[in-house]
Amino acid sequence: MQRISEEYEGLSKQLKVIAKYIEEHRNTLVLERITDIAQACEVQPSAIVRFAQRFGFSGFSDMQALFRDSFAPVQSNVNNYQKRIRTVIASQNTPLSNTELTQSFLSACQQGLEELSQSLDPAAIDAAVELLHKAENIYVVGVRRMFPIASYVCYALQHTQKRVHLISGLGGMYHDQVRSIRENDLMIAISFQPYGRETRYCARVAAQNKAKLLVISDSKMSPLARNASTVLTVKEGTAFAFRSMSSTISLCQALFIALSYRLELVIEETQDAGAYDD
């Protein structure tokens, strides 16, 4: 998967589609036939074989065997549960009640959290905490749906007495807010498909200025991953075509707690300074 991520930009359009499919389904790839994958990717089976050979395997079966040890039956149950939810929704002849809608969405959130728990990469988590610990300044960027999560990350990290900067783009000043990032600094870029252009711009500036880049995204084939020091991937649950944010915010909170533990902090709420007009 590391090789696929590093060589992704040099792949043909067909092979990029296959790469993304394998990245998203690697936990259950051992169960799938080459014809099933080809149909899902809308390519010929021969393209799957070419993909395997591109990365040094004799063919699809040889590549598939590599994923046998990572096969997770529990993950398969999670996928089946998601399918059951969708089947129930599709079979409804009458409108769902507010409570039923709420329960369905909460079930999607639970599914996303379960998947995140099963897919955590210990090495990536350790690397992320190390980046946070060593950074002189931390810049955080996330636009549109990810903006509230970026705001929370800044709020939490300020309890560590780190110098933290939210790249809000207020007044269209993305360029001005990010231009001071330097070699010993860290940028946290949070973005999911279709990957906000403002976030991609800020990540490019960070790379050009030799700062470290911690990416939180939905795929290691994300365009943000190209220059990242560490990538943490999150697959959010989805209900009624709306993606949850519960897994992403939970991961960010966990990173903050891990950093706080590393720093041996005692986190206290700031003292009340009184009302604005005092």
Side-chain angles (χ1 to χ4, degrees):
M1 296 313 303
Q2 182 64 33
R3 280 194 60 200
I4 291 174
S5 179
E6 291 171 353
E7 301 177 27
Y8 178 76
E9 291 301 324
L11 299 178
S12 67
K13 185 177 179 180
Q14 276 193 338
L15 296 191
K16 283 182 177 179
V17 173
I18 297 169
K20 286 185 176 180
Y21 183 90
I22 289 175
E23 199 273 338
E24 292 173 0
H25 298 84
R26 56 182 171 175
N27 287 331
T28 56
L29 195 69
V30 69
L31 299 177
E32 301 189 51
R33 299 175 299 177
I34 188 172
T35 52
D36 297 330
I37 299 173
Q39 184 177 8
C41 296
E42 297 182 346
V43 300
Q44 293 298 319
S46 58
I48 312 293
V49 175
R50 288 200 306 274
F51 179 89
Q53 293 173 341
R54 170 70 172 72
F55 290 95
F57 299 97
S58 60
F60 171 71
S61 296
D62 190 23
M63 180 184 71
Q64 189 182 40
L66 184 69
F67 292 84
R68 186 167 293 116
D69 290 341
S70 65
F71 170 59
V74 176
Q75 180 65 37
S76 177
N77 290 338
V78 171
N79 290 337
N80 289 337
Y81 181 62
Q82 184 179 27
K83 289 177 182 178
R84 289 201 299 269
I85 293 174
R86 291 176 176 174
T87 300
V88 169
I89 294 171
S91 65
Q92 296 299 314
N93 296 320
T94 57
L96 295 170
S97 69
N98 293 328
T99 299
E100 290 170 329
L101 288 167
T102 301
Q103 289 173 335
S104 295
F105 192 78
L106 291 176
S107 295
C109 294
Q110 292 171 340
Q111 178 258 322
L113 284 167
E114 182 67 23
E115 183 167 350
L116 175 63
S117 176
Q118 294 172 18
S119 63
L120 279 179
D121 181 349
I125 294 291
D126 289 345
V129 174
E130 185 69 16
L131 289 172
L132 290 166
H133 182 252
K134 289 185 174 180
E136 292 184 3
N137 291 276
I138 301 174
Y139 293 75
V140 188
V141 59
V143 299
R144 289 175 280 284
R145 197 171 65 94
M146 291 297 108
F147 181 76
I149 294 180
S151 300
Y152 169 78
V153 170
C154 286
Y155 161 77
L157 290 177
Q158 284 166 356
H159 285 78
T160 68
Q161 298 183 352
K162 287 278 187 180
R163 293 192 292 272
V164 186
H165 313 271
L166 175 63
I167 304 174
S168 65
L170 185 63
M173 294 194 296
Y174 286 101
H175 172 79
D176 302 271
Q177 291 176 341
V178 75
R179 64 182 177 181
S180 62
I181 193 169
R182 292 294 180 263
E183 186 172 354
N184 294 323
D185 297 336
L186 170 67
M187 174 174 288
I188 304 174
I190 310 169
S191 188
F192 290 66
Q193 195 172 16
Y195 313 114
R197 59 185 179 86
E198 301 91 343
T199 305
R200 285 184 280 135
Y201 165 76
C202 292
R204 287 198 303 272
V205 174
Q208 290 167 3
N209 291 358
K210 299 182 180 180
K212 301 295 185 182
L213 179 62
L214 168 59
V215 169
I216 300 174
S217 189
D218 54 1
S219 171
K220 289 186 178 180
M221 264 63 83
S222 160
L224 292 162
R226 192 178 313 155
N227 298 311
S229 302
T230 301
V231 180
L232 300 177
T233 57
V234 181
K235 304 292 185 186
E236 289 285 9
T238 304
F240 312 110
F242 287 92
R243 285 178 294 177
S244 164
M245 297 191 294
S246 57
S247 297
T248 308
I249 191 67
S250 296
L251 177 61
C252 291
Q253 288 179 307
L255 285 177
F256 163 64
I257 293 170
L259 175 63
S260 300
Y261 186 84
R262 172 78 177 270
L263 296 172
E264 298 181 347
L265 287 176
V266 177
I267 302 172
E268 298 178 348
E269 292 295 329
T270 57
Q271 292 183 350
D272 186 5
Y276 290 121
D277 56 353
D278 284 354

